[in-house]
Amino acid sequence: KKRIRELSFLNKGIAIHVLDEASGSKLEFKSDGGLLEFVKHLTGKKEVIGTPFYAQANMKGIGVEIAAQWTGTYRENVQCFTNNIPQVDGGTHLAGFRGGLTRAIKNFIKKEDLMRKKEVEITGEDVREGMIAVISLKMPDPKFSSQTKDKLVSSEVRNIVENFINEKLSIWFDQNPSIAKIVLAKVIQAAMARDVARKARENVRRK
C-alpha cells in the first residue's frame, strides 16, 4: 500500500487500483496534486512554515520535479526518486538539491540584508532544518551505485538539479516575499542556535 501510494504521488493524475483477493476489498490510489500532495502527506500534523514550494522543468532531456515544505521541527526529510525508483542513500540529485538550495538562500539573505551584523555563517544544515521535500527525476539511462539502485551516481545530474533549484527558488522568493522572510527567519534562527550550542560546547571544554 505504501509503495502504490508513493507511485500515485509520483505520477500525478494516474489512478492505481489494488484488489485484495483475500478479503475482496478494493482500494484506489490517485493524486491530482502529485508531489505537493506527497509533501503534505509526509508533513502530517507538523506545524508548517509558509506555503510549500513547487517547480518542474525539462532540462537537457531530464525531467526535474521538486516540492518542499519547511516545518517547525528540527529534522530534515528529503526523499529522492529516479524514474519512480526510490534512492534511500540519495546521490547526485540530492547533492545538487542541497547545493542549489543553500546558494539560493544565502544569496537572498545577502540581497535583502537580513543579517546585518554577519555574526554567524549559514550552513546547509541550517537551511534544511525542518524541511520536508521530494525530488523526482525522469531520465534516460540513469547510473546507480549498485543493483539495488539506492544511490544515483549520474554525474551530469548534480549541476542540472543545483542550477534548477537555485533559479526556481530565487524566483519563488522574489514572488512571495512575505513567505520568504518567514522561511529565512527560521534559517537564521537555526544558524544562531547552532552557533550558541557550539560556543557552549567550547566553554565546557575549556573549563
Side-chain angles (χ1 to χ4, degrees), residues 6-73:
E6 203 171 74
L7 286 169
S8 72
F9 286 137
L10 293 166
N11 300 278
K12 182 165 62 175
I14 293 176
I16 306 171
H17 299 269
V18 179
L19 169 64
D20 183 342
E21 292 184 335
S23 65
S25 65
K26 295 179 182 178
L27 296 169
E28 180 185 283
F29 295 92
K30 186 184 177 188
S31 170
D32 292 321
L35 292 201
L36 279 171
E37 271 186 34
F38 198 170
V39 164
K40 189 177 179 183
H41 173 73
L42 293 171
T43 303
K45 294 182 179 178
K46 297 179 183 74
E47 175 203 358
V48 297
I49 292 173
T51 57
F53 162 83
Y54 174 81
Q56 69 169 8
N58 193 294
M59 304 183 74
K60 297 181 180 178
I62 296 175
V64 184
E65 189 177 7
I66 296 173
Q69 172 75 67
W70 277 272
T71 73
T73 63

Side-chain angles (χ1 to χ4, degrees), residues 7-197:
L7 286 169
S8 72
F9 286 137
L10 293 166
N11 300 278
K12 182 165 62 175
I14 293 176
I16 306 171
H17 299 269
V18 179
L19 169 64
D20 183 342
E21 292 184 335
S23 65
S25 65
K26 295 179 182 178
L27 296 169
E28 180 185 283
F29 295 92
K30 186 184 177 188
S31 170
D32 292 321
L35 292 201
L36 279 171
E37 271 186 34
F38 198 170
V39 164
K40 189 177 179 183
H41 173 73
L42 293 171
T43 303
K45 294 182 179 178
K46 297 179 183 74
E47 175 203 358
V48 297
I49 292 173
T51 57
F53 162 83
Y54 174 81
Q56 69 169 8
N58 193 294
M59 304 183 74
K60 297 181 180 178
I62 296 175
V64 184
E65 189 177 7
I66 296 173
Q69 172 75 67
W70 277 272
T71 73
T73 63
Y74 301 103
R75 291 185 64 184
E76 168 194 355
N77 180 9
V78 180
Q79 300 202 12
C80 305
F81 299 85
T82 305
N83 298 346
N84 294 325
I85 302 161
Q87 281 78 59
V88 293
D89 295 329
T92 46
H93 44 4
L94 180 59
F97 172 75
R98 287 175 168 175
L101 182 73
T102 305
R103 183 160 37 120
I105 286 182
K106 279 186 169 183
N107 287 343
F108 200 83
I109 288 172
K110 187 177 179 182
K111 187 175 84 170
E112 296 294 313
D113 199 20
L114 296 176
M115 198 182 283
R116 293 175 182 84
K117 295 178 185 176
K118 306 288 188 295
E119 65 264 51
V120 63
E121 179 67 24
I122 300 289
T123 70
E125 286 183 6
D126 303 325
V127 164
R128 299 188 309 273
E129 185 180 282
M131 170 180 268
I132 292 171
V134 179
I135 305 164
S136 177
L137 300 189
K138 298 285 182 4
M139 63 181 292
D141 194 28
K143 305 286 190 300
F144 300 100
S145 62
S146 65
Q147 285 187 334
T148 55
K149 301 181 180 178
D150 289 338
K151 187 174 183 179
L152 183 70
V153 294
S154 300
S155 57
E156 72 276 19
V157 165
R158 180 169 184 159
N159 282 340
I160 288 171
V161 174
E162 184 166 338
N163 292 332
F164 169 82
I165 191 68
N166 179 47
E167 178 194 339
K168 299 294 184 184
L169 193 63
S170 298
I171 293 168
W172 188 72
F173 279 155
D174 285 334
Q175 291 173 344
N176 302 277
S178 57
I179 297 168
K181 284 182 178 170
I182 295 168
V183 168
L184 297 171
K186 175 181 169 58
V187 171
I188 292 166
Q189 187 182 47
M192 289 178 169
R194 177 181 49 76
D195 196 52
V196 167

